[in-house]
Amino acid sequence: MDKKILLRHLDVPNINQLEVYRQHDGFKAFEKVISSMKPAEVTAEVKSSGLRGRGGAGFPTGIKWNFLPNDSWPHYVVANADESEPGTFKDRELMESNPFQFLEGLMLASFAVQANLSYIYLRGEFWEIAHDLDQKIQDLEDVGLLGENILGSGYSLHLRTHLGAGAYICGEETALLESLEGKMGQPRLRPPFPAVEGLYGKPTLINNVETLANLPPILLNGADWYRGFGTEQSPGVKIFSLSGCINKPGNYELPLGVTYGELINTYGGGVPEGRTLKAVMSAGASSDIVVVDQYCLDTPLAYETCMDRLGAPLGSASVIVIDDSVNIAWLVAKTVNFFKHESCGKCTPCREGTFWMNSITSRMMRNEASAADIDLLKNVALQMQGKCLCALGEFSTMAVVTGIDRFRSDFEKHVRS
Amino acid sequence: MNKLLKKYPNEIEKILSRYPADQTRSAVMPLLFLAQREEGFVPSDTLADIAEITGISETDITSVLGFYTLFHEQPGGRYYIQICTDLPCALRGSEEYLETLCQKLGVKEGETTADGLFTVEAVKCLAACHRAPMFQLQGDGEIKYYEDQSVEKTLAVIEALREKAKQEAANG
Ligand SMILES: Cc1cc2nc3c(=O)[nH]c(=O)nc-3n(C[C@H](O)[C@H](O)[C@H](O)COP(=O)(O)O)c2cc1C
Ligand code: SF4
Ligand code: FES
């Protein structure tokens, strides 16, 4: 692709400065929208663009916006900038290098649902980014793009950052809301859904940073233009975070539908010299472990194709590449330890299940496990499935089950026969 | 007497102004960060101060304090060197990096250097997987990222901070 749509700092130096961003179409979409469009028209345009949420679940963005009831006020918008899935580092690059496009996107979403106060929930580790965004929000207030009666439109909007303090679960939207309300980050029972009863019990829209960054170009150039990229069911561009055993790790903005092979070999430069590709995980630590063969390499990275062909959701498109030097039992021990550490402890299957899986994999890593422990590990994972309060519990079992099913001999190397 | 409020009146007012007037509870986490700024941990007597400012119970604040890993309840090093050893970073050598660094500093993971300045910890993914090995430095009320590290580079950072601490001590 000639020009980047999201990672525009790669084409335009200093686009993180307000002046430069404005010289390159910055805030044109927002100015157009607040002066000439109705909120419902904005939502309709986003709906027909086919944009799907980039936070992992791929839920259609415009449809989600429609869930907020119009008889309950105020409405809030919360940008999910918690970005804590192992292997994911795209929202951070957007906020650091093209921050105004993200802020403009948040402003557009806020207008669409008529929120007058919106929050950016950042993981606590993004302390520097939060301070930078605070400054940029001030810049926008100074030029009248934020605040009361923006540019005489009658619409008022204030943005605020809020820092978390180290807890992966706060990326889950209801745990995030709890945390923003000053509580422990533990998921809420649903229903009610946040769109109906969210922040402070009010209708709340939660969107990922990358989802929001897509909005200015969509509203400036139109839904049809956006549909010119990507696939029928997954329109547009996506930022793929490549990490692990790869020559050129980093973020790559590409149309949805690019194949695994192109991403890994053409863009990522393949695995280190002398090694061969063994497996991939496309949704960070929450992924199935997918065996790399030609069929996998030919699979287009889009929401529908990853599911249909590989049975593994695209998720946040944070692709962890694994080569033949890696033992999958070790890898699974890593993911299990992550989830054991991050389980919020609210429900028993996840709290106990991640604890037991972690003790079994730890035993394996000390080479003190027996052959029966392999099946025991898998059984604990299967017992958890379908019983956890939020998706974290389920996520913790993905690598375990697929790892054992597909790479059993790697586990056998870690047990006494 | 509310010591926290007395010490940071303007900042606390600013924090409270970020949330709707009837939602002061949202200020709990920013206030805990504030309480932690000076000593690197949340002194237990500030909990009552935060309770008074936000109007929620001390018990509730204690549970929030305990839930999040960036809050410290006990004194540790002035600086936390938090090295990511999660899966993607581990695939790029971060576990070996942590081990060598610990050896050079004469500590085990989780321990604090003899001069009380540095606590070295292994942590989960910090959204910097493409620039491993990496660590975040938490201390003096700030959090900063140091990426594409080698043991030598990190030791240079540590030396500079030791030098800074020495200067401060000399200047009283
Ligand atoms: C355990 C867990 C962690 C999550 N972490 C994040 C995250 O860090 N960032 C994010 O945007 N969404 C995360 N999500 C998804 C959010 O719950 C939510 O679906 C998303 O923010 C919605 O935004 P979108 O529709 O724009 O994708 C997580 C979900 C779960 C279950
Ligand atoms: S599944 Fe795990 S993370 Fe989710 S609510 Fe239950 S204990 Fe908490
Ligand atoms: S795994 Fe270390 S920063 Fe992501």
Side-chain angles (χ1 to χ4, degrees):
Chain A
M1 248 178 346
D2 311 350
K3 285 239 163 74
K4 298 282 180 265
I5 293 168
L6 302 170
L7 300 175
R8 293 184 67 205
H9 52 285
L10 299 177
D11 298 323
V12 184
N14 302 322
I15 198 162
N16 62 347
Q17 294 167 18
L18 181 54
E19 279 314 299
V20 179
Y21 182 63
R22 289 190 98 171
Q23 281 156 18
H24 291 84
D25 292 338
F27 293 103
K28 284 213 177 116
F30 183 65
E31 286 173 16
K32 174 178 104 175
V33 160
I34 62 166
S35 63
S36 67
M37 284 173 84
K38 293 201 180 69
E41 292 171 340
V42 182
T43 303
E45 189 71 22
V46 171
K47 197 172 155 189
S48 55
S49 77
L51 175 66
R52 299 172 65 162
R54 305 300 195 222
F59 193 84
T61 305
I63 294 179
K64 185 161 161 177
W65 291 7
N66 269 327
F67 290 155
L68 276 74
N70 269 323
D71 55 3
S72 172
W73 298 92
H75 291 177
Y76 292 103
V77 178
V78 181
N80 190 341
D82 194 60
E83 188 158 68
S84 307
E85 181 70 47
T88 314
F89 41 85
K90 65 193 178 61
D91 298 337
R92 184 185 154 210
E93 180 164 350
L94 279 171
M95 291 187 291
E96 281 178 345
S97 303
N98 191 9
F100 285 110
Q101 184 164 332
F102 154 59
L103 291 174
E104 185 179 1
L106 175 56
M107 290 155 67
L108 288 162
S110 301
F111 177 81
V113 302
Q114 290 289 293
N116 301 117
L117 176 60
S118 297
Y119 286 96
I120 303 164
Y121 183 98
L122 302 108
R123 61 181 297 175
E125 293 83 353
F126 289 170
W127 183 87
E128 287 183 284
I129 300 176
H131 281 256
D132 188 49
L133 289 177
D134 284 341
Q135 183 54 53
K136 298 202 151 41
I137 290 167
Q138 184 62 53
D139 293 347
L140 292 174
E141 285 175 8
D142 291 346
V143 299
L145 281 165
L146 279 176
E148 297 298 315
N149 187 18
I150 300 167
L151 308 176
S153 66
Y155 178 61
S156 303
L157 176 63
H158 296 273
L159 301 186
R160 303 276 181 259
T161 59
H162 181 96
L163 279 173
Y168 164 73
I169 188 60
C170 289
E172 193 282 330
E173 56 189 22
T174 61
L176 182 155
L177 294 174
E178 288 287 294
S179 180
L180 182 46
E181 291 182 359
K183 301 171 193 161
M184 292 189 286
Q186 293 187 319
R188 296 176 179 172
L189 283 170
R190 278 167 295 193
F193 288 91
V196 180
E197 274 180 49
L199 184 63
Y200 309 133
K202 298 296 177 193
T204 302
L205 169 68
I206 300 153
N207 271 135
N208 169 261
V209 169
E210 184 188 352
T211 310
L212 295 167
N214 274 282
L215 300 172
I218 288 174
L219 287 158
L220 192 64
N221 304 312
D224 290 342
W225 166 83
Y226 193 72
R227 282 193 169 275
F229 307 96
T231 70
E232 175 67 31
Q233 291 175 60
S234 305
V237 292
K238 178 82 191 77
I239 304 176
F240 296 89
S241 300
L242 258 187
S243 69
C245 312
I246 187 88
N247 280 319
K248 293 191 274 175
N251 285 317
Y252 295 88
E253 176 186 323
L254 297 164
L256 281 153
V258 63
T259 65
Y260 258 121
E262 287 170 295
L263 178 68
I264 294 172
N265 293 318
T266 312
Y267 296 97
V271 292
E273 181 84 41
R275 306 216 200 129
T276 52
L277 264 167
K278 178 170 179 175
V280 282
M281 300 172 81
S282 75
S286 302
S287 311
D288 287 350
I289 303 174
V290 174
V291 180
V292 176
D293 51 16
Q294 197 55 44
Y295 183 72
C296 166
L297 290 174
D298 291 341
T299 299
L301 287 152
Y303 295 100
E304 67 284 7
T305 43
C306 282
M307 211 49 217
D308 295 349
R309 286 172 59 104
L310 304 172
L314 176 62
S316 49
S318 26
V319 178
I320 305 174
V321 181
I322 298 139
D323 70 24
D324 60 346
S325 69
V326 180
N327 176 288
I328 299 296
W330 169 85
L331 182 151
V332 166
K334 274 276 174 201
T335 64
V336 164
N337 184 259
F338 172 79
F339 289 110
K340 184 222 156 217
H341 187 264
E342 300 299 342
S343 168
C344 83
K346 183 166 177 168
C347 65
T348 316
C350 169
R351 185 181 64 239
E352 299 285 312
T354 54
F355 175 86
W356 284 112
M357 291 197 298
N358 188 61
S359 31
I360 300 168
T361 52
S362 303
R363 200 148 74 220
M364 288 176 172
M365 289 308 104
R366 293 194 306 269
N367 294 315
E368 289 168 7
S370 69
D373 280 331
I374 303 176
D375 290 323
L376 181 63
L377 176 61
K378 187 177 162 186
N379 277 334
V380 176
L382 293 175
Q383 293 276 333
M384 291 171 68
Q385 291 185 346
K387 297 195 187 71
C388 298
L389 178 64
C390 86
L392 185 147
E394 201 82 11
F395 287 168
S396 74
T397 67
M398 310 307 281
V400 174
V401 175
T402 52
I404 293 174
D405 284 350
R406 297 166 188 174
F407 296 95
R408 195 176 177 97
S409 61
D410 280 13
F411 288 81
E412 284 162 354
K413 288 181 191 139
H414 278 280
V415 298
R416 284 175 279 124
S417 44
Chain B
M1 188 192 61
N2 196 312
K3 274 198 298 189
L4 198 66
L5 193 57
K6 208 167 157 202
K7 195 168 194 173
Y8 303 107
N10 298 335
E11 259 173 283
I12 290 175
E13 196 188 303
K14 224 169 122 187
I15 288 172
L16 290 171
S17 75
R18 301 168 77 84
Y19 309 98
D22 56 347
Q23 301 294 347
T24 43
R25 177 165 191 160
S26 281
V28 168
M29 288 169 67
L31 290 171
L32 282 168
F33 275 121
L34 192 64
Q36 179 167 280
R37 183 183 293 171
E38 195 142 294
E39 300 185 69
F41 71 102
V42 179
S44 55
D45 57 350
T46 51
L47 296 178
D49 295 350
I50 297 176
E52 194 183 46
I53 297 167
T54 55
I56 61 172
S57 75
E58 241 178 276
T59 319
D60 282 346
I61 294 169
T62 308
S63 64
V64 173
L65 173 62
F67 187 83
Y68 297 96
T69 57
L70 288 175
F71 296 137
H72 306 287
E73 294 176 72
Q74 303 296 330
R78 171 169 169 185
Y79 298 105
Y80 283 81
I81 296 189
Q82 296 171 316
I83 297 166
C84 174
T85 57
D86 220 341
L87 175 61
C89 281
L91 290 170
R92 306 188 76 81
S94 70
E95 291 182 318
E96 296 75 16
Y97 159 82
L98 169 70
E99 209 181 300
T100 318
L101 190 71
C102 282
Q103 271 169 18
K104 297 265 181 194
L105 294 173
V107 293
K108 289 205 194 70
E109 191 271 318
E111 291 180 350
T112 305
T113 52
D115 58 9
L117 280 179
F118 302 99
T119 302
V120 184
E121 288 180 341
V123 297
K124 303 301 177 201
C125 182
L126 294 171
C129 330
H130 53 326
R131 301 190 188 130
M134 64 80 61
F135 70 94
Q136 74 178 357
L137 186 78
Q138 191 190 7
D140 296 345
E142 301 183 344
I143 295 175
K144 287 190 172 148
Y145 276 36
Y146 292 83
E147 302 174 278
D148 290 319
Q149 291 294 295
S150 60
V151 171
E152 293 69 40
K153 275 192 199 174
T154 308
L155 287 173
V157 173
I158 288 173
E159 265 328 296
L161 289 166
R162 280 197 165 129
E163 203 47 46
K164 183 181 147 194
K166 246 189 240 161
Q167 294 288 336
E168 282 172 6
N171 299 337

